[in-house]
Amino acid sequence: MSVEENTVHYDSPAGGWGSVRGIAEVFGKEWATPLATETLFRQNKPKGFMCVSCSWAKPANYHPFEFCENGAKATLWELTTRRCTPDFFGKHTLTELRGWSDYELEQQGRLTHPMRFDRASDRYVPCGWDEAFREIGSELRRLDPKSVVFYSSGRASLETSYLYALFARLYGNNNLPDSSNMCHETTSVALKKVIGASVGTVVFDDLSTCDAMFFFGQNTGTNSPRFLHPLQEASKRGVRIITFNPVRERGLESFTNPQSPVEMLTGKATPISTQYHQVRPGGDIAVMLGLCKHVFAADDAAKARGERVLDVDFIAQHTTGLEAFEARVRATSWEEIERESGISRADIEAAGQVYVEAERVCAFYGMGLTQHVHGFENVAMVVNLLLLKGNIGRDGTGVSPVRGHSNVQGQRTVGISEKPELVPLDRLAEQFGFDPPREKGVNTVEACEGILSGEIRSFIGLGGNFVRAIPDQDRMEKAWTGMRLTVQVATKLNRSHLVNGEIAYLLPCLGRTEEDRQASGPQAVSIEDTFSCIYGSLGRRTPASDFLKSEVAIVAGMAKATLAPNPKAPWDAWTGDYGLIRDAIARTYREEFHDFNDRLWIPGGFYRGNSARERIWKTESGKAEFTAPEVLSATGFSDEPGRYRLITMRSNDQFNTTIYGYSDRLRGIEGTRDVLLMNPDEIRRAGLSDGQVVSLVSDAGDGITREVTGLTVTPFSLPDGCLGAYYPEMNPLMALSHHDIQSGTPAAKSVPVRIRPEAGGPKRDRREPTGHSAHPI
Ligand SMILES: Nc1nc2c(c(=O)[nH]1)N[C@H]1C(S)=C(S)[C@@H](COP(=O)(O)OP(=O)(O)OC[C@H]3O[C@@H](n4cnc5c(=O)[nH]c(N)nc54)[C@H](O)[C@@H]3O)O[C@H]1N2
Ligand SMILES: Nc1nc2c(c(=O)[nH]1)N[C@H]1C(S)=C(S)[C@@H](COP(=O)(O)OP(=O)(O)OC[C@H]3O[C@@H](n4cnc5c(=O)[nH]c(N)nc54)[C@H](O)[C@@H]3O)O[C@H]1N2
Ligand SMILES: [Mo]
């Protein structure tokens, strides 16, 4: 399918002048002030600070400007001169603020003072840090540890994350859900099961040695734009890039490097994908079965010539389960595959032929695979495909889940996990002289269930915007107020700060770009990227307010006020010198983090290692496992007349729930996020028209009414039977129970919904002026 003439779309390549204008539009002229450029110049480089946006690699051979449009936006967002002060909170009740948009809330700028919720006036009032820690500590001591949740969003450093997880365990639980439970948890569970390593096997250098790349449901141009540089180089090298995505994402079509004067002046764009297939949402299992079917057919033909396509030696030595898998593939007909995937046999065979011919294949994927009811099977299918030709554990090959938050992978590495089996509890026991809790903790969905049932009485949030990021937002907000204690550690105001327990604190912290001065001097922190490389990060900017504390200091402050004194857990000394925290990490995780302090500034980071890359399979069988999928569709529900598969999407003008502006430039959607995207035939079939205003209602079939109103029907190139609309605006439509069966990851890429035309709803002009003001820095 090509981009139809009559749909909303963007003709220019990703990157290019549009990306520079994108930065300027959000931040005004000031984005180019010496202070800002000086800071951006140090982004993602040794002795600089590591981007607060995505988790893409920070290469040793860096570019002069090792940042992208979105990294620049994220940095400038933190450097804003706007301040959200006690004065602001004095003027607005929380009830009033709950009527504000995500954009308006964060526009208020950086939080400056620790604040306590005052129920009588329905306002936040300033408080002292000691007072806050004292009350949090005494409340936590009174609560049953099983009823307390310690959430983290994937941004906090390795040092903070290690202390936070330790705090929870010393306190008495493994209730450590994190944003990854809504994101790549599917990966952690599936890759662990089938290759024995919960993270990807690809490293940065593989990008320059592979000869084919397969992309499933990852939007590079928007979500990890610095990846476009190696992709561009790969494309120029003749690497064949095959993309499966319901949406024709600009960055996977073509790219103009904004850092190349020649390309910028000539407007020359590099095509990225050699084949682009608009799979139906949830259709990837079928696609990959089709690809494998073609590989088996090619192998049959080769055998007749006395050759093989399959890597039979690798399969024999390293894998198990081929027989059952092959039987499943051969038993699946092309008719079924075409129906479920929405892609023709000829197109799948053409993609399969690239796989057959390539010697070294890397497969990349993102939320398009993980956020489905059968997300596990999606990920297992990627591995099945790769195993057929030994495409794991050789240079230029491998599986690459492209991670989201800048340290989401690293948090897991240092103990943030609700699964006790993933944490070296015996070492913690010895190191800190206690008996760590062995019972499984709650993940994100289970935490929500506990809040709904009243079993969870307290929520501590280390960053993030939990209430806005989870499913079933309306129900969750109502239940939230039943909790006894809620604490949010944050840089900017968001909706999660406006729904509170009986006692509630909002604690403002330093950002990663800011100088973090403690007893022993300025402190560095560290993070791990999507390729398992670990780097130091040093902030130098003057903090947004004198009253901020670092995340380390806040976690240590809460821990000290809650726990009995333990000389083996020196919270004050740790706060005074983060090198001591790194020493503690190195003692717990000896293999990965030995000589941590010495290796902090190695250019390009130090590699934590991955057994599967060495073809050592830490699985139950001791081999890499083929998995025969039991379903063909990943959606978990059947097709019925009037029921659609809703994809919740991110624009390049947002970072998760942080909305920078209303310009989804790469998709040609400007001035509003209240759109419902569908293809023109589907609009006609549904009896709707372009510009009509409609509501969406949940079709989860559980009797609960969930609704989002005021969406403008907008023609857009999408497969039949599906709809697109923005995250987080659509989250009230998602049932909490609609998640990947194995990992609990909410299934945000196929939400069952119905359309309800709004009575007498006005036709709207889609392209209202953007209306957002420049954001000073
Ligand atoms: N600018 C920006 N950067 C970000 C973020 C952001 O919000 N904004 N968020 C960060 C975070 S936390 C994360 S996890 C990552 C997310 O980055 P991605 O993994 O790229 O996530 P999404 O953009 O949600 O969805 C990815 C793609 O999946 C496609 N898709 C939807 N359903 C299907 C399907 O069934 N099959 C296939 N094959 N494709 C499908 C969508 O069209 C979309 O292009 O980005 C990180 N970086
Ligand atoms: N429908 C739908 N829902 C989804 C998704 C989807 O694709 N569709 N994606 C899911 C995914 S992949 C993810 S990762 C989650 C994201 O869920 P979260 O990680 O919980 O949400 P964010 O929007 O990233 O959090 C933004 C807030 O973090 C705070 N913050 C920013 N920087 C810092 C800092 O340095 N320190 C601290 N303490 N706070 C800081 C700010 O206050 C800001 O408002 O959402 C999930 N929800
Ligand atoms: Mo994420």
Side-chain angles (χ1 to χ4, degrees):
M1 207 196 296
S2 64
V3 182
E4 294 93 344
E5 286 290 287
N6 51 345
T7 56
V8 170
H9 65 273
Y10 180 70
D11 286 325
S12 307
W17 288 110
S19 67
V20 176
R21 268 197 301 276
I23 304 174
E25 256 171 34
V26 179
F27 298 98
K29 287 198 205 84
E30 279 128 302
W31 82 275
T33 59
L35 213 54
T37 29
E38 192 265 337
T39 303
L40 287 173
F41 204 73
R42 283 189 291 102
Q43 187 153 329
N44 296 332
K45 294 190 197 154
K47 293 277 166 146
F49 71 93
M50 295 303 148
C51 187
V52 290
S53 187
C54 80
S55 59
W56 186 248
K58 286 83 188 162
N61 301 321
Y62 48 81
H63 298 94
F65 290 94
E66 194 54 62
F67 61 87
C68 66
E69 173 184 359
N70 290 311
K73 281 183 187 171
T75 301
L76 298 173
W77 200 246
E78 197 170 286
L79 295 180
T80 176
T81 52
R82 293 196 186 171
R83 296 291 177 264
C84 185
T85 61
D87 193 41
F88 169 84
F89 288 109
K91 288 194 193 121
H92 305 282
T93 63
L94 268 53
T95 306
E96 181 200 337
L97 292 173
R98 281 196 293 274
W100 291 25
S101 68
D102 300 306
Y103 172 75
E104 289 163 324
L105 291 173
E106 290 216 21
Q107 274 285 322
Q108 301 316 310
R110 292 287 300 277
L111 296 163
T112 58
H113 287 68
M115 307 294 289
R116 184 185 195 284
F117 174 50
D118 177 52
R119 188 165 295 277
S121 65
D122 187 29
R123 284 181 170 82
Y124 272 118
V125 293
C127 65
W129 281 104
D130 287 345
E131 175 195 343
F133 291 149
R134 213 169 24 247
E135 186 168 26
I136 292 167
S138 80
E139 284 298 324
L140 286 179
R141 278 199 304 276
R142 233 171 293 168
L143 285 161
D144 173 1
K146 300 279 169 299
S147 72
V148 178
V149 164
F150 295 86
Y151 172 72
S152 37
S153 162
R155 223 183 244 217
S157 65
L158 292 169
E159 291 79 359
T160 308
S161 304
Y162 178 82
L163 291 194
Y164 193 59
L166 181 64
F167 172 28
R169 295 201 167 93
L170 286 166
Y171 174 62
N173 70 36
N174 285 301
N175 287 346
L176 287 155
D178 74 354
S179 57
S180 131
N181 288 145
M182 301 180 251
C183 182
H184 269 293
E185 188 61 24
T186 320
T187 294
S188 308
V189 172
L191 290 188
K192 181 95 188 106
K193 170 82 174 58
V194 299
I195 60 168
S198 54
V199 300
T201 65
V202 170
V203 297
F204 194 71
D205 288 346
D206 292 326
L207 305 178
S208 44
T209 49
C210 66
D211 49 34
M213 295 180 174
F214 280 71
F215 275 85
F216 298 93
Q218 202 272 333
N219 184 8
T220 315
T222 290
N223 297 325
S224 40
R226 286 186 304 113
F227 190 177
L228 291 174
H229 298 273
L231 269 190
Q232 184 187 35
E233 281 155 25
S235 161
K236 286 182 177 165
R237 207 158 49 74
V239 171
R240 289 192 279 177
I241 301 174
I242 313 295
T243 298
F244 291 93
N245 194 316
V247 181
R248 292 197 70 90
E249 303 289 19
R250 219 46 207 128
L252 289 163
E253 294 192 310
S254 68
F255 175 55
T256 297
N257 186 346
Q259 299 177 10
S260 157
V262 175
E263 286 179 26
M264 290 293 272
L265 291 174
T266 58
K268 188 169 170 290
T270 309
I272 299 293
S273 294
T274 22
Q275 293 180 24
Y276 204 117
H277 303 292
Q278 284 182 276
V279 59
R280 293 173 79 197
D284 302 86
I285 299 173
V287 164
M288 289 185 266
L289 278 173
L291 295 174
C292 294
K293 206 171 167 66
H294 181 74
V295 177
F296 285 123
D299 189 56
D300 292 342
K303 264 196 250 174
R305 301 189 301 268
E307 295 165 10
R308 294 303 296 263
V309 168
L310 301 186
D311 186 340
V312 281
D313 294 340
F314 170 81
I315 291 173
Q317 196 188 336
H318 287 286
T319 72
T320 171
L322 177 71
E323 220 167 281
F325 176 66
E326 183 174 351
R328 176 81 173 98
V329 172
R330 290 191 190 269
T332 310
S333 69
W334 278 110
E335 290 69 35
E336 289 172 279
I337 290 172
E338 287 186 320
R339 193 178 57 240
E340 287 303 334
S341 65
I343 301 176
S344 72
R345 172 177 177 172
D347 280 351
I348 296 180
E349 286 180 332
Q353 191 55 28
V354 170
Y355 183 80
V356 166
E357 287 167 13
E359 259 176 49
R360 295 167 192 276
V361 178
C362 290
F364 302 90
Y365 68 88
M367 299 299 99
L369 291 196
T370 63
Q371 294 179 333
H372 280 291
V373 169
H374 295 289
F376 178 97
E377 286 82 351
N378 271 336
V379 175
M381 273 307 305
V382 176
V383 171
N384 289 335
L385 176 66
L386 292 172
L387 292 179
L388 287 179
K389 289 191 68 209
N391 276 314
I392 296 186
R394 280 188 293 134
D395 285 345
T397 70
V399 56
S400 186
V402 183
R403 299 274 167 169
H405 270 302
S406 53
N407 193 34
V408 65
Q409 187 168 311
Q411 296 193 326
R412 293 293 198 184
T413 307
V414 296
I416 296 216
S417 175
E418 73 284 2
K419 293 174 188 144
E421 68 275 16
L422 299 183
V423 183
L425 293 179
D426 292 338
R427 284 204 189 151
L428 290 177
E430 183 196 315
Q431 203 172 331
F432 300 105
F434 77 120
D435 189 12
R438 307 265 164 181
E439 197 181 315
K440 189 188 161 300
V442 293
N443 63 20
T444 291
V445 164
E446 290 158 352
C448 292
E449 287 165 351
I451 293 166
L452 286 172
S453 72
E455 279 162 60
I456 298 292
R457 304 284 297 133
S458 173
F459 179 96
I460 317 286
L462 181 61
N465 187 0
F466 189 82
V467 169
R468 196 68 172 134
I470 54 174
D472 249 339
Q473 198 192 319
D474 296 341
R475 282 171 77 213
M476 287 306 303
E477 286 195 2
K478 284 195 194 89
W480 202 264
T481 51
M483 279 192 279
R484 170 69 182 168
L485 171 73
T486 55
V487 179
Q488 300 282 359
V489 180
T491 50
K492 297 263 189 95
L493 186 62
N494 66 45
R495 187 158 183 103
S496 296
H497 310 149
L498 306 174
V499 280
N500 284 325
E502 223 174 303
I503 298 171
Y505 284 94
L506 176 53
L507 305 178
C509 66
L510 293 172
R512 203 182 286 155
T513 50
E514 288 167 328
E515 185 179 60
D516 182 356
R517 194 169 271 281
Q518 303 290 350
S520 69
Q523 304 297 315
V525 292
S526 54
I527 57 146
E528 173 181 333
D529 72 16
T530 197
F531 296 127
S532 310
C533 284
I534 291 152
Y535 323 77
S537 173
L538 187 65
R540 294 184 207 215
R541 286 287 302 248
T542 307
S545 138
D546 291 341
F547 300 95
L548 302 184
K549 279 191 184 293
S550 72
E551 289 181 318
V552 163
I554 296 171
V555 170
M558 291 193 289
K560 200 179 151 196
T562 308
L563 306 170
N566 173 353
K568 293 186 167 171
W571 301 103
D572 288 335
W574 279 334
T575 306
D577 180 357
Y578 298 179
L580 299 175
I581 310 175
R582 286 186 286 275
D583 286 342
I585 295 175
R587 272 205 295 284
T588 313
Y589 300 94
R590 288 165 213 161
E591 296 76 13
E592 299 91 341
F593 286 97
H594 63 86
D595 306 305
F596 191 4
N597 279 306
D598 295 338
R599 295 195 290 164
L600 196 58
W601 302 112
I602 294 178
F606 66 87
Y607 182 50
R608 164 163 88 75
N610 181 326
S611 51
R613 198 180 156 76
E614 312 299 321
R615 296 192 165 174
I616 298 164
W617 316 102
K618 295 184 177 172
T619 58
E620 268 173 35
S621 60
K623 304 251 172 154
E625 297 183 358
F626 280 100
T627 317
E630 278 170 17
V631 290
L632 260 188
S633 159
T635 62
F637 54 85
S638 56
D639 290 330
E640 275 177 29
R643 173 186 285 172
Y644 295 88
R645 304 172 178 193
L646 170 70
I647 308 176
T648 59
M649 324 212 299
R650 302 171 145 77
S651 85
N652 72 307
D653 219 7
Q654 76 183 86
F655 191 91
N656 297 339
T657 68
T658 295
I659 311 301
Y660 299 125
Y662 293 83
S663 166
D664 191 352
R665 178 171 50 81
L666 296 173
R667 300 198 187 100
I669 302 164
E670 299 288 342
T672 176
R673 295 174 54 87
D674 297 328
V675 289
L676 181 64
L677 308 179
M678 50 200 301
N679 81 40
D681 288 344
E682 203 64 75
I683 295 178
R684 193 175 31 76
R685 272 195 296 272
L688 301 169
S689 57
D690 178 0
Q692 189 174 345
V693 178
V694 297
S695 302
L696 283 184
V697 290
S698 147
D699 198 14
D702 58 2
I704 297 172
T705 305
R706 301 181 184 86
E707 177 182 51
V708 170
T709 60
L711 302 171
T712 301
V713 172
T714 304
F716 193 78
S717 175
L718 278 172
D720 288 344
C722 79
L723 307 171
Y726 288 114
Y727 148 64
E729 287 82 349
M730 294 305 117
N731 285 35
L733 282 173
M734 291 165 59
L736 191 56
S737 56
H738 186 63
H739 56 70
D740 174 39
I741 295 169
Q742 308 264 359
S743 68
T745 307
K749 294 297 183 266
S750 269
V751 183
V753 294
R754 288 175 185 273
I755 303 174
R756 205 167 55 199
E758 288 184 9
K763 277 191 104 171
R764 272 202 204 141
D765 178 4
R766 265 195 317 273
R767 292 173 198 82
E768 305 151 15
T770 52
H772 60 254
S773 55
H775 197 78
I777 50 165

